Amino acid sequence: MSFYIPLGVFALIVVVFLLGFGLGNRTELPSALIDKPFPAFAAPDLFQPDQILGRAQIVGRPALVNVWATWCPTCAAEHEMLIKITERADVRLIGINYKDDPTKAIAWLGQFGNPYDLVLVDDQGLLGVELGVYGAPETFLVDPNGSIVYKRVGEVNERIWQQEIKPRLIAMSPDVVHGLDAASR
Amino acid sequence: MWYMALMLRLASFTTILWLIAYGLGVGVNTPIVFAASQVDVFTFNNAEEEARYRRLIAEIRCPKCMNTNIAGSDATSAQTLRVAVHRLIVQEGKSDQEVLAFMQDRYGDFVLYDPPLSGKTWIIWLLPISVGLVIVGFILRLLRQSKDVARPDLDLTGLDPATQARLKDIIQDQ
């Protein structure tokens, strides 16, 4: 009988360790904001800083809200993909220029191209806090009612577009994604 | 002596407990870094606000780093959250509970080192309690067993009377 006690304890330790180490990559947190309304905000337009934009500029049509900065290498890596997405789908792309220098941001968009319909300035990162942002890039898919339906932490690439963003966009309104790309799904 | 065996078994059991606690506890609810690694320049209306600020930034976990509070992290997101906590306290006059709820609404249970008991978190609350109960039961059993071992009924009948007397002497001395 006493033989089974250490054996049982050992088995328990093995199970606990398997659970603990099996959790794998924990760098991505589940977003607390999925299915919640996009927060209200007031942020200046990058190109017209005297113009203050709010939530009304985002809701009404499907929108991708992309948090980016010139200091963020992954943002540069995904930039090409963002341009492709605006070509493939009739989705509004809103940029949030996160904790950045507006002058640098404008120069950066001049150099690499500007796929954004609007760019909001969040120099202090407080709009980012409203959105639960903890690093750039982060990308939110917002439905026409203004609810956040999906959040991507990290690079938006072809796989994320095909598997995560496109199906959700089509579910919102089937003709949002342009003919060729919609057919290739 | 009977209690030596008990102590040995308890000692090895303590080691096992440490291992279990380590496996469970790390990354769940122990902030490792308490010291502020960066000096932010903030102004407060009074000392009480500052004390609340310091307590809250030690209580909120940095979402970017796995196991550091926002007081102890240089990550930009931690710095931003310190700005947000300062603003909530000083400009918006929020209570401690409101500040924590604000963070939880936006970053989820992860940012709280003291997560609420909910569908997702019951295991980290119940597991230590149930492990504790099992251990208490185990120790009680050990104690009972040890007492049994301590008073053995020695079969001395086959020995000559002198040896019997000596053995009884020795046992009583102990």
Side-chain angles (χ1 to χ4, degrees):
Chain A
M1 174 60 201
S2 67
F3 168 74
Y4 289 103
I5 293 169
L7 195 68
V9 171
F10 176 70
L12 185 69
I13 293 172
V14 168
V15 168
V16 167
F17 276 22
L18 275 181
L19 285 176
F21 295 126
L23 289 174
N25 183 5
R26 300 257 309 277
T27 55
E28 199 172 314
L29 307 185
S31 175
L33 285 164
I34 301 296
D35 293 330
K36 301 248 178 77
F38 196 89
F41 65 89
D45 186 312
L46 177 67
F47 295 99
Q48 294 156 283
D50 51 336
Q51 200 169 340
I52 303 297
L53 305 172
R55 189 173 180 275
Q57 269 82 33
I58 289 185
V59 297
R61 281 165 53 194
L64 270 179
V65 179
N66 174 248
V67 180
W68 68 282
T70 58
W71 47 259
C72 146
T74 315
C75 302
E78 74 172 1
H79 199 68
E80 193 93 358
M81 191 63 218
L82 294 179
I83 294 175
K84 279 189 195 156
I85 287 175
T86 54
E87 288 163 359
R88 288 175 187 176
D90 198 13
V91 58
R92 268 158 59 84
L93 184 63
I94 316 281
I96 295 179
N97 187 232
Y98 179 66
K99 304 192 81 173
D100 204 357
D101 173 0
T103 322
K104 279 189 197 163
I106 291 169
W108 197 86
L109 291 177
Q111 188 183 346
F112 297 110
N114 180 7
Y116 299 106
D117 294 284
L118 275 178
V119 182
L120 314 170
V121 177
D122 183 24
D123 50 352
Q124 284 210 67
L126 292 176
L127 174 54
V129 172
E130 289 298 324
L131 286 165
V133 168
Y134 58 94
E138 289 192 19
T139 304
F140 298 83
L141 180 60
V142 183
D143 75 8
N145 304 321
S147 283
I148 295 171
V149 294
Y150 169 75
K151 175 187 180 179
R152 166 70 179 166
V153 178
E155 185 187 4
V156 170
N157 50 30
E158 189 67 42
R159 185 181 63 83
I160 295 295
W161 163 248
Q162 294 291 347
Q163 292 177 8
E164 306 287 351
I165 299 177
K166 196 172 81 174
R168 288 182 170 88
L169 265 179
I170 291 171
M172 274 177 215
S173 94
D175 50 352
V176 165
V177 178
H178 297 160
L180 253 181
D181 199 54
S184 75
R185 79 187 129 116
Chain B
M1 271 155 259
W2 68 269
Y3 58 81
M4 286 293 280
L6 180 65
M7 293 302 276
L8 263 175
R9 289 168 88 170
L10 278 182
S12 60
F13 207 77
T14 315
T15 316
I16 291 164
L17 281 188
W18 269 108
L19 285 171
I20 293 175
Y22 185 81
L24 286 175
V26 170
V28 176
N29 50 15
T30 321
I32 285 175
V33 182
F34 287 96
S37 58
Q38 183 185 329
V39 178
D40 301 303
V41 184
F42 286 135
T43 52
F44 297 89
N45 296 324
N46 51 53
E48 191 235 332
E49 274 185 0
E50 184 170 357
R52 285 179 50 215
Y53 167 80
R54 295 205 176 281
R55 198 171 59 241
L56 281 167
I57 63 170
E59 232 173 277
I60 296 168
R61 185 174 180 179
C62 163
K64 186 74 182 175
C65 1
M66 286 294 101
N67 198 12
T68 308
N69 51 24
I70 61 169
S73 173
D74 277 335
T76 42
S77 59
Q79 190 252 327
T80 313
L81 289 185
R82 287 196 295 269
V83 173
V85 170
H86 175 262
R87 220 173 87 127
L88 288 170
I89 294 175
V90 175
Q91 286 178 29
E92 302 186 19
K94 302 279 193 212
S95 72
D96 290 3
Q97 281 315 309
E98 285 170 326
V99 172
L100 292 176
F102 176 97
M103 291 299 164
Q104 193 188 0
D105 284 348
R106 286 154 184 79
Y107 289 93
D109 292 345
F110 183 89
V111 289
L112 305 181
Y113 267 114
D114 198 4
L117 183 57
S118 76
K120 276 187 236 160
T121 59
W122 64 268
I123 193 163
I124 57 176
W125 285 93
L126 287 191
L127 213 58
I129 297 171
S130 45
V131 167
L133 287 177
V134 167
I135 289 159
V136 167
F138 189 78
I139 291 173
L140 286 178
R141 241 196 60 186
L142 273 184
L143 279 170
R144 257 210 313 275
Q145 276 182 358
S146 309
K147 275 181 192 154
D148 293 345
V149 173
R151 285 164 187 73
D153 294 324
L154 280 185
D155 183 17
L156 305 175
T157 45
L159 302 166
D160 64 278
T163 317
Q164 278 188 26
R166 264 182 63 208
L167 281 173
K168 277 181 183 157
D169 234 28
I170 291 168
I171 291 168
Q172 273 159 14
D173 274 354
Q174 297 234 328

